Amino acid sequence: MKTKVLSLGLMLLLLMQGCISSRRMLQNADYDSAIKKSVHKLIKNPEKEKELTVLTQAFKLANQKDQDKIDYLKLSGEPGVWDDIYKAFNRLKARQIIVKTAPQVILDKLGFVAVNYDSEILNAKKKAAAYFYAHAQTLLEKGNKIDARLAYSELLRVKELYSSYKDLDSLSKAALSLGTSQVLFQLKNTSGMIVPADFNAALTKISVAELKRLWINYDMNEVEGRTYDYVILVNINNINVSPDALKEVHTTESKEIEDGFTYKFDANGNVMKDSLGNDIKIPKYKTITCEVIEVQQKKTALVSGVIEFVEFKNEQILYTAPITTQSLFENYSLTTVGNINALSEETKKRIGNKPLPFPNSAAMILMAGDILKGIVKDIIYKNASVFL
């Protein structure tokens, strides 16, 4: 539904743009849109003098705007201006290509003379790449994560300009490594209750792939030689497994059913007849009953604690939240004594359920741990910004 609304909105926007005249676009300083529209109309009808006027003005103003920007940036002498210069020259070239599609008669009236921007584009491209690369190196030398991430962005821009540039790949890997927060997952049991060996393993099987994002690496187990920036500490401080609860509930259901009939007699003791001459019969009823014995089985395991995001270096707690989960075993079995025809349809459906063996405490704790794993993963995913 959302996609349909967006598509409809886009169609309306395009329709509105199609209704705006090239002259209005020129007045709004939307020069490139005015150029495209005028060229399109002049291709269909080269005699449209108004469109030629718009094209002449828009082309001149757009080129002047980009050329003024280029001149100003070059005059500034700043080393970081070459990417903007590169983009401006590309706009000049792209604009010229669009205008060249107009009929030759229009180009003649326009006084169009093609300009070769390739050498300027190549020169600006080289200088832009050199600046981004050198700036990335300077940022990396600072040795902190924020600057390493900025350096990585600069190197991505180099890659956009040149897919292969010096030792770009190795430098990008270095920036990615330095800029990434290393996070270690740890689990503690301070509940005083011994947990199954598989409990810790189950919790540390949280899918790292689902949590993965740029600039954060999660390790569910410590990697030798790796320096960690943060610790996710899951402290289980309470585990409570209820005893096996077994309860019998006795109920009785009843129903009236037909049990033969008697004749209807008149005052003289004769069997009465209906309008068709048939004997009038009166149905007889009796009540049937059935005793239902329901055995209710129930067992729970409560696991609770706290999750903390801790800065490794100074042990400062950056985020904390309580975590609680409960696993539940329930089973209901029925036996009956009496006439089962007295039972409701709902009760009949439950006949045949049998008692089940109670799961042991270890199994209940493991079930709770599996639920807890999803809760912990959700907390980590929603609060990952703490590690950035």
Side-chain angles (χ1 to χ4, degrees), residues 136-156:
Q137 286 182 311
T138 301
L139 290 169
L140 281 174
E141 288 171 1
K142 295 182 179 182
N144 64 75
K145 294 190 183 301
I146 299 300
D147 286 315
R149 294 168 190 174
L150 292 174
Y152 185 76
S153 295
E154 300 286 68
L155 293 169
L156 285 179

Side-chain angles (χ1 to χ4, degrees), residues 213-238:
R213 58 189 296 177
L214 185 62
W215 305 124
I216 304 176
N217 175 65
Y218 297 97
D219 286 336
M220 295 296 111
N221 297 287
E222 187 171 359
V223 177
E224 187 177 353
R226 179 166 290 171
T227 301
Y228 289 96
D229 303 293
Y230 303 96
V231 173
I232 297 173
L233 177 61
V234 176
N235 183 14
I236 305 300
N237 54 36
N238 180 46

Side-chain angles (χ1 to χ4, degrees), residues 24 34 40 46 48-49 62 65 68-69 76 87 93 113 123 131 134 189 191 208 255 257 260 268 276 281 310 334 372:
R24 177 62 63 85
H40 179 70
K48 287 193 171 185
E49 291 297 326
K65 181 179 178 181
D68 287 346
K69 182 170 185 177
S76 73
K87 291 175 181 176
K93 181 177 180 178
V113 178
N123 179 56
Y131 168 76
N189 175 20
S191 67
V208 175
K255 183 187 295 183
I257 61 171
N268 298 318
L276 297 176
K281 300 175 182 178
V310 183
L334 292 180
L372 188 65

